[in-house]
Amino acid sequence: MSDSRLRTQRTDVQEDESTEERTDEACPECSGHLVMDEERGETVCEECGLVVETDEIDRGPEWRAFDAGEKDEKSRVGAPTTNMMHDKGLSTNIDWRDKDAYGNSLSSNQRQKMQRLRKWNERFRTRDSKERNLKQALGEIDRMASALGLPENVRETASVIYRRALDENLLPGRSIEGVSTAAVYAAARQAGVPRSLDEINEVSRVEKSEIARTYRYVIRELGLEVAPADPESYVPRFASSLELSDEAEHRARKLLQNAKEQGVHSGKSPVGLAAAAVYAAALLTNEKTTQAAVSEVADISEVTIRNRYHELLEAEQGLPAV
């Protein structure tokens, strides 16, 4: 073999070293070092080139990652942790259905055994009063968020707010339900999908006055930055519930923007302004709806809708007051 061919082979070996991994085994022919070529799935002798093993199992991932963050996101080592569970989802969950992996019902002895396992598993998952408190509160947050149709990111934020309140010892003298409701209310406003206090009160187990009082206390003590609710953030939900067109929704937003420019919104309930804007926009676009229907969707009185409706039309440039 010529020197040029030898040099070429050495260069090829050097270029492939990045994809090869040395093993502790020796070549059965020449006792040379064996390397594993991960790209080709082969174990090859470095000295004589003998292929010792082929079609090896690739134990690496089937995806590629180009940075550390992407690698962490794509790695699969179990379910992701979440603040929506008191143990962050790290403990074992035992299904309540008495069936095996094939969907067959368990025998009576196996059912009794699984019941004991469930009981002890629950005891281990909540070992102290703090964990029991957190489990009850996060269950309340999930229940209220589901009833209000709030997205998962709001539930996650509400869970973090409650955890902070618990860690900073803000719960003594206040009910678990009250602080949970305040956390949901604050999280929804932070996420830009606010719900009115009346809507929150409908799904909560505490009084409206307690919700408002606890909410003010929690955001003050935790230093949460919660901007005033924007009336425009209520418009899409109201318009969707009333089955209004995109044109009517756009018109309602325009009415509210004009009201902001002239300062009409100052000191007014954002829910009332949004409801009145939706009602006015429906009339201006010749779509059928009634004050009673808007009142039911927005959970606000018809008197408020009528008052705000006139103020919005007066603020609209070029439109006479109706």
Side-chain angles (χ1 to χ4, degrees):
M1 186 181 292
S2 65
D3 293 341
S4 61
R5 286 190 65 186
L6 285 172
R7 281 195 296 272
T8 303
Q9 286 184 349
R10 291 195 190 99
T11 305
D12 292 341
V13 170
Q14 289 174 355
E15 289 176 351
D16 290 343
E17 271 188 359
S18 60
T19 61
E20 294 177 346
E21 181 181 342
R22 282 178 169 269
T23 66
D24 295 331
E25 300 177 4
C27 175
E29 291 289 334
C30 66
S31 300
H33 292 293
L34 296 180
V35 293
M36 188 171 64
D37 188 341
E38 294 181 354
E39 284 189 0
R40 298 178 178 84
E42 297 175 344
T43 301
V44 186
C45 175
E46 261 188 336
E47 305 297 329
C48 66
L50 176 69
V51 178
V52 178
E53 193 171 348
T54 61
D55 298 329
E56 295 179 354
I57 297 174
D58 183 4
R59 301 186 184 277
E62 77 279 7
W63 40 260
R64 294 188 300 168
F66 300 98
D67 54 47
E70 190 176 356
K71 182 178 179 182
D72 291 340
E73 287 177 5
K74 290 183 175 181
S75 63
R76 288 190 291 274
V77 289
T81 57
T82 172
N83 285 302
M84 293 186 288
M85 298 179 70
H86 74 283
D87 52 10
K88 296 192 175 181
L90 296 175
S91 64
T92 302
N93 287 318
I94 301 177
D95 195 3
W96 58 270
R97 291 169 294 189
D98 292 322
K99 293 186 178 182
D100 62 16
Y102 300 101
N104 301 320
S105 298
L106 301 179
S107 65
S108 59
N109 289 336
Q110 288 175 319
R111 284 199 298 271
Q112 291 177 2
K113 181 181 178 180
M114 293 307 299
Q115 188 59 34
R116 287 196 300 272
L117 286 172
R118 289 191 194 97
K119 180 173 68 176
W120 282 103
N121 184 54
E122 284 302 311
R123 289 179 180 177
F124 282 119
R125 289 182 70 191
T126 52
R127 287 170 291 183
D128 54 34
S129 60
K130 184 177 179 180
E131 287 190 355
R132 287 193 294 272
N133 178 314
L134 193 56
K135 183 180 179 183
Q136 180 182 346
L138 297 182
E140 277 292 292
I141 289 172
D142 186 62
R143 180 188 65 79
M144 289 186 287
S146 296
L148 292 167
L150 294 171
E152 188 173 322
N153 67 311
V154 174
R155 304 181 195 198
E156 190 87 23
T157 303
S159 302
V160 171
I161 292 173
Y162 189 90
R163 286 176 184 273
R164 285 187 58 194
L166 186 61
D167 292 338
E168 298 189 21
N169 204 29
L170 302 184
L171 267 71
R174 291 166 182 82
S175 66
I176 293 173
E177 291 82 1
V179 180
S180 301
T181 308
V184 171
Y185 186 42
R189 293 184 63 174
Q190 282 187 328
V193 285
R195 296 294 185 267
S196 67
L197 199 56
D198 290 324
E199 289 177 297
I200 295 286
N201 184 47
E202 284 181 3
V203 300
S204 177
R205 293 193 171 104
V206 295
E207 297 295 328
K208 184 177 178 180
S209 57
E210 183 182 344
I211 297 171
R213 183 171 62 251
T214 307
Y215 166 74
R216 289 193 295 268
Y217 174 74
V218 168
I219 61 171
R220 183 178 68 249
E221 294 298 319
L222 297 181
L224 300 178
E225 295 182 2
V226 182
D230 187 352
E232 286 188 51
S233 60
Y234 293 94
V235 170
R237 187 158 53 90
F238 293 168
S240 176
S241 299
L242 293 166
E243 298 182 351
L244 299 179
S245 66
D246 292 341
E247 182 187 0
E249 183 180 333
H250 178 74
R251 196 74 179 81
R253 289 178 182 274
K254 187 67 178 175
L255 284 168
L256 290 172
Q257 289 167 6
N258 289 330
K260 288 178 189 176
E261 290 174 3
Q262 298 195 23
V264 175
H265 71 297
S266 181
K268 308 288 195 312
S269 165
V271 181
L273 282 171
V278 169
Y279 175 66
L283 295 184
L284 292 171
T285 55
N286 297 318
E287 297 188 33
K288 292 182 179 179
T289 190
T290 62
Q291 290 182 5
V294 177
S295 173
E296 184 178 354
V297 166
D299 196 17
I300 201 163
S301 71
E302 294 182 38
V303 175
T304 302
I305 293 174
R306 281 194 292 274
N307 292 338
R308 300 294 171 265
Y309 160 74
H310 288 294
E311 293 170 0
L312 288 174
L313 288 183
E314 289 171 1
E316 177 78 354
Q317 295 178 355
L319 286 178
V322 177

